[in-house]
Amino acid sequence: MRQRKTAVFALTIGGALTALLPLSGAQAQSLRDVSAAPAGASACLGCHGARDTSLPALSPLSAADIETAMEQFRSGAREATLMTRIAKGFTPEESKAIAAWLSVAK
Amino acid sequence: MNLSQPSRRMVLASAAATAAVTFASPALAQGAARVVVIGGGYAGATCARFLQREGLEVTLIEPSASYISCPFSNAVIAGLRDMAQQSFTYEAIERQGVRIARQAAIRIDRAARNVTLADGSVLAYDRLVLAPGIDMRFDALPGYDMAASERLPHAWKAGPQTLLLRAQLEAMEDGGTVIISAPANPFRCPPGPYERASLIAHYLKTKKPRSKLLILDTKDAFSKQGLFTAAWKELYGDMVEWVGLSGGGKVVEVKADEKIFVTEFGEHRADVGNVIPPQRAGRIAIESGIADQTGWCPIDPVTFEARAQAGIHVIGDAAIAGGMPKSAFAANAQAKACAQAVALMLRGAQAPEPKLINTCYSLVAPDYGISVAGVYAPAKGLLTDIAGAGGVSPANASRAVRAAEARFADGWYKTITSEVFG
């Protein structure tokens, strides 16, 4: 525990001053580690951030929810204005990895 | 760390002084590696933020105190939106820990790995990300130079030009003719000229219904063409006329004083004229030899590293990104994939094969949106469309679907600007 606190403090003096403040939606995104992002995952955040807009945020969804939605968009079982076109660009394995990464930060 | 003080590894010295100092050869020796990002648009600002989150020491070089967003600026021209909704500051990015150098980048020394700023100071880097966007080519269309753009605005970088075109439309008498000239590919925002035509037609129909809008095009095909053409007829009747290359639409000269557009077949006089000229990568990419003879920058599709120079990465509109269009969405997606590649390469690891997404919404009317999407992966040295994915909105969609896409366009804008600047 003590070590963990030290790590947070180190991060703070390293310049990320907002780390001590309550995380807003947009800041919560930053906890996802982009260097570990599976192929295609970081691009999703261009539309699906944590912020509440006319586009659904992914934060409330589990990895399984996201994976299932991608599968249904791909097969046509679920309708969408645009996601049906995007989902066809990803395999089930890629979608699973993307879903896991996107669901990390809540 | 006190952010008001330059850190140890930040080399801020005069160019002359630096040349004599050993810092000219940067080392990865101790502490965080230094990444310099040139350009604070959708590409550069995104990349700087994601690089900083990887624990790197990031400096973003951007002379402007605020960024004026091009997406949705067509709605400003048509009087549907306020310029304030287009403006973003760099405060949140700076607060996050990205250092901002509020100056123009003047020169890149590729051998010494540093960038000289307008005040003569020099920033050394371990890796450099170039995101300089576009410059208008004021040497490409006879009669169209910077002075002519005050009379025939391009409005292809949002800002004073956007407001100038809006003011000209507002001052035009009912019954006037608006002419837009569109360039050959590639250029920033492929559906942009046609969205602009749509929203200007919406303005004319509402305020000046006897007016006409003529699009003179250097191409025979354009982005979302079927959807735009059908919607123009449905919403604006005969008000909008598009003339493509084979119909004599290529503008070969403009006479700014008289607002005359000269084509190979004749002359058209405008009451309000909008020239969208040919473009090229931002100046620094040209002058540093990172762009090729086309005026754009060839890149490796996995790392975004310039073909011309290892250690320099290019993202956004300035890059030759294969099948990806020059859009804000593409710039943002490329920036994140590039940040990932740069972070891993600085740790001695290999960048993974990325997949990229693009989505571009266009408004044909305030409640009528259409979209194009694509998914891309490296193939044969370029970012290439994945077959079977992507494409445009269905031709036979209901007005409810068009209205939903207009709402989603708004949602996209709020989300992406929050990620980039919020």
Side-chain angles (χ1 to χ4, degrees):
Chain A
M1 274 319 275
R2 179 163 291 269
Q3 266 185 334
R4 192 182 175 88
K5 268 188 182 165
T6 310
V8 170
F9 183 65
L11 183 68
T12 306
I13 58 170
L17 295 168
T18 51
L20 284 187
L21 303 172
L23 289 171
S24 77
Q27 286 159 344
Q29 280 176 15
S30 70
L31 299 180
R32 296 189 183 101
D33 180 0
V34 80
S35 63
S42 61
C44 304
L45 302 176
C47 280
H48 301 284
R51 181 174 163 153
D52 195 24
T53 72
S54 57
L55 297 165
L58 297 176
S59 315
L61 302 178
S62 69
D65 291 338
I66 298 170
E67 193 184 342
T68 303
M70 285 288 280
E71 186 53 48
Q72 291 175 338
F73 289 138
R74 201 162 26 240
S75 71
R78 184 169 165 187
E79 286 188 15
T81 53
L82 194 130
M83 276 309 298
T84 46
R85 291 177 256 159
I86 302 277
K88 290 187 180 76
F90 294 93
T91 65
E93 295 71 32
E94 288 171 334
S95 302
K96 189 183 181 74
I98 289 169
W101 185 79
L102 287 174
S103 64
V104 164
K106 295 284 179 170
Chain B
M1 183 167 80
N2 182 342
L3 292 176
S4 66
Q5 298 278 331
S7 78
R8 279 178 300 126
R9 287 174 303 278
M10 174 97 113
V11 186
L12 277 168
S14 80
T18 307
V21 171
T22 50
F23 274 127
S25 168
L28 266 169
Q30 68 269 41
R34 301 152 303 179
V35 183
V36 170
V37 180
I38 298 180
Y42 281 92
T46 303
C47 200
R49 294 196 102 165
F50 277 81
L51 287 165
Q52 192 278 337
R53 285 171 193 152
E54 293 297 319
L56 300 165
E57 190 176 293
V58 183
T59 303
L60 175 62
I61 302 176
E62 171 53 57
S64 304
S66 61
Y67 180 71
I68 316 278
S69 168
C70 269
F72 275 86
S73 66
N74 283 332
V76 176
I77 290 168
L80 297 164
R81 196 175 171 87
D82 198 76
M83 199 59 154
Q85 292 169 275
Q86 301 301 112
S87 304
F88 301 89
T89 72
Y90 295 98
E91 284 166 18
I93 297 172
E94 196 162 23
R95 223 164 32 239
Q96 181 193 317
V98 172
R99 189 181 303 273
I100 313 272
R102 194 146 292 152
Q103 294 184 60
I106 299 302
R107 192 171 58 252
I108 298 167
D109 186 330
R110 288 160 54 173
R113 295 193 171 204
N114 64 42
V115 181
T116 301
L117 304 182
D119 70 356
S121 61
V122 176
L123 286 177
Y125 60 80
D126 296 306
R127 284 190 177 270
L128 174 66
V129 177
L130 271 183
I134 59 159
D135 279 345
M136 304 305 146
R137 288 191 53 187
F138 285 117
D139 59 347
L141 176 61
Y144 198 69
D145 56 13
M146 189 133 20
S149 73
E150 292 302 314
R151 194 134 163 91
L152 299 169
H154 56 76
W156 217 241
K157 283 187 181 182
Q161 282 272 307
T162 310
L163 295 175
L164 177 61
L165 183 54
R166 174 177 171 159
Q168 290 186 356
L169 285 167
E170 286 169 352
M172 189 182 82
E173 302 279 341
D174 189 7
T177 299
V178 179
I179 298 179
I180 298 175
S181 78
N185 294 321
F187 63 100
R188 164 178 282 181
C189 190
Y194 315 98
E195 178 190 67
R196 175 172 293 176
S198 306
L199 294 181
I200 289 176
H202 174 81
Y203 168 77
L204 296 176
K205 185 185 173 187
T206 313
K207 302 280 174 65
K208 290 158 188 176
R210 295 191 296 111
S211 308
K212 294 280 292 180
L213 192 150
L214 174 64
I215 307 160
L216 297 172
D217 212 325
T218 309
K219 313 178 278 304
D220 267 329
F222 61 87
S223 176
K224 308 177 198 171
Q225 184 166 5
L227 294 169
F228 273 116
T229 306
W232 288 338
K233 195 158 184 58
E234 180 187 349
L235 300 176
Y236 308 120
D238 296 329
M239 180 178 267
V240 179
E241 183 187 357
W242 175 79
V243 181
L245 175 67
S246 53
K250 182 182 179 182
V251 174
V252 295
E253 182 188 356
V254 293
K255 298 174 183 170
D257 287 348
E258 304 153 273
K259 298 193 178 178
I260 286 174
F261 290 67
V262 183
T263 70
E264 286 161 336
F265 292 80
E267 297 191 347
H268 303 266
R269 202 194 64 80
D271 294 292
V272 173
N274 169 212
V275 175
I276 304 169
Q279 298 144 34
R280 63 180 163 219
R283 178 194 53 80
I284 192 94
I286 307 284
E287 290 179 0
S288 58
I290 299 301
D292 69 9
Q293 72 287 354
T294 66
W296 307 101
C297 305
I299 54 164
D300 178 281
V302 174
T303 62
F304 296 87
E305 213 162 19
R307 296 287 188 197
Q309 178 66 58
I312 297 182
H313 303 250
V314 187
I315 52 175
D317 291 351
I320 297 174
M324 293 191 87
K326 300 186 186 304
S327 75
F329 192 113
N332 170 264
Q334 290 165 13
K336 286 179 274 194
C338 178
Q340 180 174 23
V342 167
L344 290 170
M345 290 165 90
L346 284 168
R347 288 175 212 159
Q350 202 178 349
E353 290 247 326
K355 263 195 167 175
L356 281 297
I357 300 173
N358 178 61
T359 297
C360 289
Y361 288 102
S362 301
L363 295 178
V364 186
D367 61 348
Y368 193 121
I370 55 177
S371 61
V372 62
V375 185
Y376 310 86
K380 295 181 181 150
L382 286 172
L383 285 164
T384 305
D385 273 282
I386 290 174
V392 298
S393 309
N396 57 357
S398 67
R399 282 302 289 270
V401 167
R402 305 295 191 217
E405 290 223 280
R407 286 196 304 279
F408 294 153
D410 178 69
W412 165 75
Y413 185 73
K414 287 183 173 132
T415 303
I416 198 165
T417 54
S418 164
E419 182 179 77
V420 182
F421 298 105

